[in-house]
Amino acid sequence: QTTGGVIGAKFIASAPSTIGIPFAANPGNNNLAFDAVSPTGYWNVERSSGAGGTYTAIFDATGFTKTDGVSAPVLNGVFLAKRSTNSSWTTGADGTASTVSSLATITRTGMTSFSDFALGGTAAALPVILTRFTGKSEKATNVLDWTTASEINTDKFVVEKSQDGIRWEYLTDVKASGFSTLEKAYTTTDHKPNSLTYYRLKMMDFDGKYEYSEVVKIERTSKRSDDFVRVYPVPTFDKVMVQLEIDQVSEVSLTVTDIVDRLLFTGKQSLQEGLNEIPLDLTGFTPGTYFLKVDNGVKQYTQRIIKE
């Protein structure tokens, strides 16, 4: 502070009023636009004694992470707002304003007036640009692919699925790149799709803000006979997973035979519409080649199993 007396400052840890917010950029407010001021708190700076002089104020923004505390994003550009007690917020004309690109510390020099001060600015849009989101059906799965042109502060992509496009459930999440100005490609697989499945991406940043992508619909057509049953892994040492995809609820019989057609296992399994997975334990089987037969009452499907 230059010679001019004594000033006092205090921090009020409560949300200030929002009179005058938002306001558009114009020459009277240093061409700065404001969408919100932070509810975390504000400062009051007053002259205690003396007259004249200038002062420099340094405002520590530690802990200021939101503009409205819940739904608003981190500010795109952080500026210092000022007001006379209970009047409208503005940027003020005195002193030199300093801005930062993230919430940290804001300094203003050459100040002559005394006011309430708060942090504010324009709200940032979700910092991810999604350029493509597509899906396709394969033998027993649905595969989703998407591409981003840039990512800033992006945490993850939560993949959600639905049978009717109304009620959604969690499928998986895919870690995002975080910060990137290059094109990034992502993929994930739904191992239990329905005959008709809707998908969407919940794109989340590190601050908890999110947006949804457009919805992708994948309709699975009737499968060829050799696509009905899939067994993996082959070869195996102990267990295999049998995948069966059907168009309606039904029951199938399962049998396992060896190369001379000796029956080693038999059983029945109730299936739901869509993709079903059945574990098959081969621990007691000797190494060799076996055949799994699945009979749905209309057709019989055969898959070879190799145990090592």
Side-chain angles (χ1 to χ4, degrees):
Q1 179 186 357
T2 60
T3 302
V6 178
I7 61 175
K10 62 181 178 180
F11 178 73
I12 296 92
S14 62
S17 69
T18 57
I19 299 173
I21 299 293
F23 57 79
N26 61 66
N29 57 31
N30 298 315
N31 290 313
L32 299 177
F34 272 63
D35 290 333
V37 288
S38 175
T40 308
Y42 61 100
W43 295 266
N44 174 260
V45 181
E46 295 181 339
R47 185 192 304 275
S48 298
S49 64
T54 63
Y55 67 95
T56 295
I58 301 174
F59 299 89
D60 183 1
T62 301
F64 285 67
T65 57
K66 300 286 184 181
T67 54
D68 73 359
V70 179
S71 61
V74 171
L75 294 176
N76 190 28
V78 183
F79 308 100
L80 192 65
K82 64 173 292 186
R83 68 176 183 184
S84 299
T85 304
N86 295 323
S87 64
S88 298
W89 289 102
T90 181
T91 58
D94 66 308
T96 301
S98 174
T99 66
V100 293
S101 58
S102 62
L103 295 171
T105 300
I106 296 179
T107 301
R108 191 156 185 168
T109 60
M111 298 179 69
T112 59
S113 63
F114 302 93
S115 310
D116 290 338
F117 295 93
L119 299 183
T122 55
L126 187 74
V128 58
I129 299 176
L130 183 70
T131 55
R132 182 177 65 91
F133 179 37
T134 60
K136 62 181 179 180
S137 64
E138 297 198 341
K139 284 188 175 182
T141 63
N142 285 348
V143 178
L144 303 170
D145 299 285
W146 64 96
T147 304
T148 62
S150 67
E151 297 177 31
I152 301 175
N153 198 43
T154 311
D155 181 19
K156 60 185 176 181
F157 301 93
V158 178
V159 185
E160 298 179 346
K161 62 185 291 187
S162 172
Q163 295 186 50
D164 55 13
I166 299 173
R167 293 165 295 182
W168 295 88
E169 62 183 71
Y170 171 86
L171 174 62
T172 187
D173 56 71
V174 178
K175 187 66 178 175
S177 296
F179 296 86
S180 174
T181 56
L182 302 176
E183 183 177 88
K184 296 291 182 180
Y186 300 88
T187 186
T188 194
T189 301
D190 183 1
H191 293 282
K192 295 182 178 181
N194 298 101
S195 56
L196 174 62
T197 312
Y198 298 87
Y199 299 94
R200 67 183 183 184
L201 298 176
K202 185 178 183 179
M203 302 172 286
M204 302 190 67
D205 65 21
F206 287 106
D207 305 294
K209 184 175 182 287
Y210 62 86
E211 285 186 356
Y212 284 108
S213 69
E214 294 185 354
V215 174
V216 167
K217 180 178 75 172
I218 301 179
E219 188 169 3
R220 301 181 64 81
T221 57
S222 299
K223 298 296 177 180
R224 305 187 310 269
S225 61
D226 59 346
D227 289 340
F228 178 82
V229 180
R230 175 175 175 251
V231 179
Y232 70 94
V234 176
T236 183
F237 290 99
D238 49 13
K239 298 178 182 179
V240 294
M241 187 67 71
V242 182
Q243 283 189 340
L244 304 104
E245 186 173 13
I246 60 172
D247 294 329
Q248 60 185 0
V249 175
S250 64
E251 185 179 75
V252 296
S253 62
L254 306 173
T255 60
V256 177
T257 59
D258 62 14
I259 57 175
V260 294
D261 205 31
R262 288 183 300 186
L263 181 64
L264 303 175
F265 169 84
T266 184
K268 290 186 178 295
Q269 182 71 41
S270 296
L271 304 179
Q272 300 298 314
E273 178 188 355
L275 188 66
N276 298 260
E277 291 189 323
I278 305 169
L280 190 60
D281 190 354
L282 304 179
T283 304
F285 288 43
T286 58
T289 300
Y290 300 91
F291 297 94
L292 168 68
K293 297 178 182 178
V294 180
D295 193 329
N296 66 359
V298 179
K299 270 189 175 183
Q300 187 178 85
Y301 306 88
T302 302
Q303 290 284 329
R304 186 175 65 171
I305 300 173
I306 299 175
K307 182 183 177 184
E308 295 184 338

